[in-house]
């Protein structure tokens, strides 16, 4: 209601505007009523190893009780860093143990022991701290020809720019999959929260939580009949209080698993501050001998072809 009043207060003065009157333009003092409808939910398909193999969601919600992920990902090497001063070392370790158990119950192959014992840290100097400890992890893993599959990060409830800094460093500097968890959830360790985090981790390490039953039986309109890639794109802008040098971040995701279209890869690019047009979708670089095209769209198309063995014949693009 407050939002409605604000809109009406903004529009009403225009009825007295002399230019509007000159052109015979008037504005009604009520909002347009639009009829809506609720689309029927799709049936979800889960792993046949669980007791519940198919499920019809209600009001857009469902849980993982008696269900297992369609494809459980693997986390063989992982570590945890705790930036929350009010979370004790013991509480953080207990949370990681419970999270690992929940990942296994949900269908993942999640090794129970971290590469190194949990590390407590202060939010100051995040970049050098993360890089230092990443090197510690790799000193152990590199001789074994392994990478760090997952970094679990515990954050204070009020973390300011810490979350964004960690994501940026892990994604762009270290090439590392990370999962951030707030302190208040770590203390409570509710099963529903642990399940939600397990689902997020599974998607990040290449697993699939569920698929549409219609996709499995080849009954998705405009998708099942021809190789299709689905894009989603958006731009996030720096909040008030962040430095003037903080860029906007463009993100583009694309499906990688036709015909199921449930597994998505993501790419992010910094761009001009508060610029809404995505600048990194397509670009050309002059290398002297000719122009070489690139950009996030091309990267996703190549990735799609490699993962599915098909060149996409149809593109569906959602711009948020």
């Amino acid at each position: 209601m407050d939002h409605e009043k604000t809109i009406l207060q903004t529009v009403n003065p225009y009825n007295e505007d002399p230019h509007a009157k000159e052109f015979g333009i008037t504005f009604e003092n009520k909002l347009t009523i639009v009829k809506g409808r609720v689309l029927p939910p799709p049936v979800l398909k889960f792993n046949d190893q669980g007791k519940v193999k198919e499920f019809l969601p209600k009001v857009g919600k469902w849980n993982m009780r008696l269900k297992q992920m369609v494809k459980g990902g693997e986390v063989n090497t992982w570590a945890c860093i705790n930036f929350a001063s009010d979370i004790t070392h013991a509480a953080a370790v207990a949370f990681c143990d419970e999270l690992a158990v929940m990942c296994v119950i949900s269908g993942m192959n999640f090794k129970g022991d971290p590469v190194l014992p949990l590390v407590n840290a202060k939010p100051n100097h995040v970049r050098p701290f993360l890089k230092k400890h990443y090197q510690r992890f790799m000193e152990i893993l590199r001789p074994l020809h392994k990478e760090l599959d997952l970094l679990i990060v515990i954050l204070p409830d009020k973390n300011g720019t810490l979350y964004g800094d960690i994501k940026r460093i892990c994604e762009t500097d270290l090439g590392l999959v990370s999962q951030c968890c707030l302190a208040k959830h770590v203390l409570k360790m509710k099963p529903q929260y642990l399940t939600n985090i397990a689902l997020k981790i599974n998607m990040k390490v290449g697993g699939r939580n569920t698929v549409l039953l219609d996709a499995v039986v080849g009954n998705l309109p405009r998708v099942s009949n021809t190789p299709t890639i689905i894009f989603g794109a958006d731009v996030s802008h720096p909040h008030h209080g962040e430095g003037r040098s903080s860029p906007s971040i463009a993100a583009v995701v694309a499906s990688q698993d036709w015909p199921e279209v449930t597994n998505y890869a993501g790419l992010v690019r910094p761009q001009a501050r508060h610029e809404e047009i995505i600048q990194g979708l397509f670009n050309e670089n002059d290398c002297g001998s000719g122009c070489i095209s690139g950009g996030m769209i091309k990267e996703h198309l190549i990735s799609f072809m490699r993962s599915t063995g098909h060149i996409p014949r149809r593109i569906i693009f959602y711009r948020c």
Side-chain angles (χ1 to χ4, degrees):
M1 292 300 294
D2 290 340
H3 188 49
E4 179 181 348
K5 290 179 180 178
T6 301
I7 294 174
L8 293 175
Q9 289 171 358
T10 302
V11 171
N12 283 339
Y14 285 102
N15 282 318
E16 303 301 323
D17 184 87
H19 300 292
K21 287 183 176 180
E22 182 179 352
F23 285 94
I25 298 174
T26 58
F27 298 85
E28 290 192 14
N29 60 352
K30 62 180 180 180
L31 300 180
T32 299
I33 297 176
V34 180
K35 289 185 178 180
R37 61 193 177 98
V38 178
L39 297 175
V43 178
L44 303 179
K45 179 73 172 68
F46 293 91
N47 196 299
D48 290 336
Q49 299 297 319
K51 291 185 178 180
V52 177
K53 301 173 179 59
E54 298 174 7
F55 185 76
L56 181 65
K58 296 180 180 179
V59 295
K61 297 180 180 180
W62 68 91
N63 58 47
M64 290 296 291
R65 186 172 178 268
L66 304 179
K67 308 176 188 72
Q68 281 203 346
M69 302 160 174
V70 167
K71 177 187 175 185
E74 291 192 6
V75 175
N76 295 309
T77 57
W78 64 278
C80 180
I81 296 178
N82 175 26
F83 285 97
S85 59
D86 54 339
I87 300 295
T88 65
H89 184 88
V93 170
F95 173 78
C96 290
D97 290 342
E98 290 296 319
L99 179 58
V101 170
M102 184 59 74
C103 287
V104 173
I105 292 174
S106 300
M108 290 183 63
N109 181 8
F110 196 107
K111 296 294 177 63
D113 296 324
V115 174
L116 286 172
L118 182 141
V119 179
N120 292 307
K122 295 182 179 180
N124 300 332
H125 309 296
V126 177
R127 184 185 296 272
F129 181 88
L130 285 177
K131 288 187 174 181
K132 172 186 173 182
H133 284 279
Y134 178 70
Q135 290 301 321
R136 290 184 61 208
F137 302 143
M138 293 310 300
E139 285 174 3
I140 296 174
L141 297 175
R142 195 172 288 112
L144 302 175
H145 304 288
K146 295 181 179 180
E147 297 289 338
L148 188 64
D149 294 333
L150 175 69
L151 178 65
I152 300 172
V153 182
I154 299 175
L155 299 177
D157 296 331
K158 296 181 179 179
N159 54 77
T161 63
L162 182 59
Y163 172 82
D165 292 340
I166 290 171
K167 284 295 182 182
R168 184 169 58 253
I169 295 166
C170 288
E171 294 283 349
T172 61
D173 292 353
L174 305 178
L176 181 60
V177 174
S178 62
Q179 178 59 56
C180 294
C181 306
L182 291 178
K184 60 183 179 182
H185 299 305
V186 171
L187 286 173
K188 294 177 182 178
M189 282 197 294
K190 291 184 177 181
Q192 184 63 47
Y193 177 76
L194 293 172
T195 301
N196 289 340
I197 296 299
L199 292 172
K200 291 182 178 181
I201 291 174
N202 188 52
M203 293 298 294
K204 291 177 180 180
V205 298
R208 282 190 290 179
N209 296 334
T210 184
V211 295
L212 301 179
L213 182 61
D214 282 341
V216 175
V217 299
N219 196 33
L220 277 183
R222 299 185 178 275
V223 173
S224 295
N225 63 344
T226 188
T228 302
I229 183 171
I230 300 178
F231 286 92
D234 196 11
V235 179
S236 60
H237 304 292
H239 298 290
H240 295 292
E242 295 188 37
R244 289 181 174 270
S245 61
S246 298
S248 292
I249 303 296
V252 179
V253 301
S255 59
Q256 303 290 304
D257 61 338
W258 181 83
E260 289 84 3
V261 293
T262 55
N263 192 8
Y264 286 74
L267 295 171
V268 295
R269 296 284 189 277
Q271 63 179 44
R273 184 181 176 91
H274 295 308
E275 174 60 60
E276 190 63 28
I277 297 176
I278 300 177
Q279 300 172 337
L281 287 181
F282 176 80
N283 56 59
E284 284 188 337
N285 297 316
D286 189 354
C287 62
S289 58
C291 291
I292 299 177
S293 62
M296 289 187 281
I297 295 295
K298 182 175 181 179
E299 289 185 42
H300 276 313
L301 292 175
I302 293 173
S303 178
F304 177 92
M305 186 175 65
R306 288 174 176 170
S307 62
T308 65
H310 296 277
I311 297 174
R313 301 298 179 184
R314 178 173 288 132
I315 295 175
I316 300 174
F317 197 102
Y318 291 94
R319 176 62 167 91
C320 301

